[in-house]
Amino acid sequence: MSVTSRYRQAWEGFWSEASDEQGAVFWDAEPALTVGVHLAFFEPHLAAPGLPVVDLGCGNGTQTRFLADRFPHVVGADLSAAALDHARRADPAGQAVYRLLDAAEKTEAETLHAELGDANLYMRGVLHQAEPDDRQPLVDGLATLVGERGRVFLVELAEAAGLVLRGLAQSADGPPPKLVPVFRHGIAPGEVADAAVPEYLRAAGLTVLASGETPLVTTEYTADGSRIELPSKWLVAGRTG
């Protein structure tokens, strides 16, 4: 099963119009506030730190390049070719490798695993953007990529984020400017129940090793100058035994 063509086209349209300017995209926050924070949660649970690292849903590669400064073999993978164009332009030295990937397609996940072997995965804010019918196949693809030794780190919007986003969208002044293209291209986040994420992982044969809460930091600000942060939950999972 692969993602719907509508979903793929929405992301192509979004990234084709997106600016190369740092921070122009709503969720493209500085690595020091995102992956840099997440690694403190993730690294203690890595059974094999030397494995390749896949940044799944890498977008324009901001977090990927940070990972490539810290791990020897990093792959930025995304469904959108336009997103990968942004990532490659921002990485002229080729710190990371970039790969077009539909992780919900079993054969694509299997092909990448055959090339890399087991991998550690970083995925921030992707599952809640997937169509409901694609969520379990996507997590199944993660399980294929981590294999027996890898670990996956997920950060996903909590249910409480839906209320925040609806408030922003319905503001009297209209939604914040960086949210407008997200809604226009039809990729507004869907709500995933907090309890559903660990169930997706378990159904894929993975064990949740640790979990917690951390805000999903954005690049947008409210009228009073406060940075918008969305309630989110993180999980580390892998195979055990």
Side-chain angles (χ1 to χ4, degrees):
M1 177 179 180
S2 62
V3 297
T4 63
S5 59
R6 187 212 65 79
Y7 178 68
R8 187 189 301 272
Q9 290 165 3
W11 280 109
E12 284 297 329
F14 175 83
W15 282 114
S16 293
E17 290 184 9
S19 167
D20 276 336
E21 181 184 354
Q22 185 69 40
V25 172
F26 180 69
W27 53 81
D28 192 30
E30 306 94 305
L33 302 177
T34 49
V35 64
V37 174
H38 302 152
L39 282 179
F41 304 132
F42 190 24
E43 287 186 305
H45 300 282
L46 294 179
L51 294 180
V53 175
V54 178
D55 179 11
L56 190 57
C58 70
N60 61 3
T62 299
Q63 317 306 322
T64 318
R65 295 189 297 278
F66 183 94
L67 289 167
D69 282 336
R70 286 150 183 80
F71 297 94
H73 185 186
V74 175
V75 177
D78 203 280
L79 176 72
S80 166
L84 295 176
D85 288 342
H86 281 282
R88 292 186 180 103
R89 284 196 297 271
D91 185 12
Q95 288 179 277
V97 175
Y98 300 95
R99 175 71 173 264
L100 191 67
L101 178 72
D102 175 359
E105 176 58 55
K106 182 179 179 181
T107 57
E108 292 194 26
E110 289 174 342
T111 297
L112 185 56
H113 181 261
E115 295 176 11
L116 297 179
D118 293 355
N120 293 314
L121 302 188
Y122 174 74
M123 191 171 89
R124 172 178 175 257
V126 174
L127 190 62
H128 70 267
Q129 293 282 8
E131 302 283 357
D133 288 346
D134 291 329
R135 289 172 187 158
Q136 187 62 59
L138 172 58
V139 178
D140 292 344
L142 305 185
T144 296
L145 291 168
V146 300
E148 297 300 322
R149 298 183 297 149
R151 296 288 186 262
V152 56
F153 182 86
L154 303 183
V155 182
E156 290 297 332
L157 292 185
E159 290 178 48
L163 182 62
V164 177
L165 286 166
R166 285 192 291 275
L168 292 171
Q170 296 166 6
S171 166
D173 297 325
K178 293 178 187 177
L179 260 182
V180 172
V182 178
F183 293 138
R184 185 174 69 249
H185 287 284
I187 52 176
E191 294 188 9
V192 180
D194 294 343
V197 180
E199 287 305 317
Y200 287 132
L201 291 163
R202 293 185 186 106
L206 300 176
T207 299
V208 176
L209 304 172
S211 62
E213 298 182 1
T214 187
L216 194 149
V217 180
T218 78
T219 64
E220 188 59 280
Y221 294 80
T222 60
D224 66 6
S226 302
R227 188 191 286 258
I228 295 171
E229 298 184 353
L230 303 175
S232 300
K233 296 182 179 293
W234 62 266
L235 303 95
V236 179
R239 288 190 172 86
T240 59

